[in-house]
Amino acid sequence: MSSTVELTKDNFDQTVSENGFVLIDFWAAWCGPCRQFAPVYEKAAEANPDLIFGKVDTEAQPELAAAFNIQSIPTLMIVRDKVAVYAQPGALPEAALTDIIGQARKLDMDEVRKSIAAQESNGQ
């Protein structure tokens, strides 16, 4: 059984709302780097059973790809408390993915929200 969740426009919002920590792999079947990244991502999912590892097939879910302005795939996104705290294109080696997950776990979400609020008020 796969430890990753197939995300669609039907379950995406619910998945992100109900889970405090969601990783999202934007991918497509024709994309070579995506296929190379898939087993790395699966392995990380198995190593972090408390987190939700989602996959968005950008061919099947163009609305989701468009909503997040995905320009190149694979793109990895990490969402904590409905805030995207990481979004970067490119297939990651295992060590880098492990490191990013560790960093995202350590984030103080109150601080993140404060800095977002500050950026938004500066932008107006």
Side-chain angles (χ1 to χ4, degrees):
M1 188 179 121
S2 170
S3 37
T4 58
V5 182
E6 189 66 44
L7 295 176
T8 66
K9 61 181 191 294
D10 300 322
N11 70 354
F12 187 90
D13 287 342
Q14 186 181 6
T15 303
V16 170
S17 303
E18 290 178 359
N19 299 281
F21 197 128
V22 183
L23 297 92
I24 305 157
D25 174 23
F26 291 88
W27 70 286
W30 52 262
C31 155
C34 297
R35 288 201 301 271
Q36 289 167 342
F37 181 56
V40 175
Y41 193 67
E42 281 283 346
K43 197 168 168 190
E46 284 158 21
N48 296 276
D50 58 319
L51 308 181
I52 301 291
F53 283 71
K55 288 176 83 83
V56 173
D57 181 344
T58 55
E59 293 287 293
Q61 304 297 325
E63 301 93 338
L64 283 179
F68 290 98
N69 203 16
I70 302 300
Q71 303 289 343
S72 62
I73 49 174
T75 287
L76 175 69
M77 186 175 286
I78 299 179
V79 179
R80 281 200 55 190
D81 303 343
K82 298 189 248 183
V83 177
V85 294
Y86 177 89
Q88 211 62 50
L92 293 164
E94 193 176 332
L97 179 57
T98 301
D99 184 48
I100 288 162
I101 293 170
Q103 288 180 38
R105 280 185 183 277
K106 288 198 277 268
L107 282 175
D108 179 337
M109 289 310 294
D110 291 331
E111 289 300 316
V112 170
R113 278 188 286 270
K114 271 184 213 155
S115 75
I116 290 169
Q119 283 168 4
E120 284 172 355
S121 62
N122 290 345
Q124 287 167 354

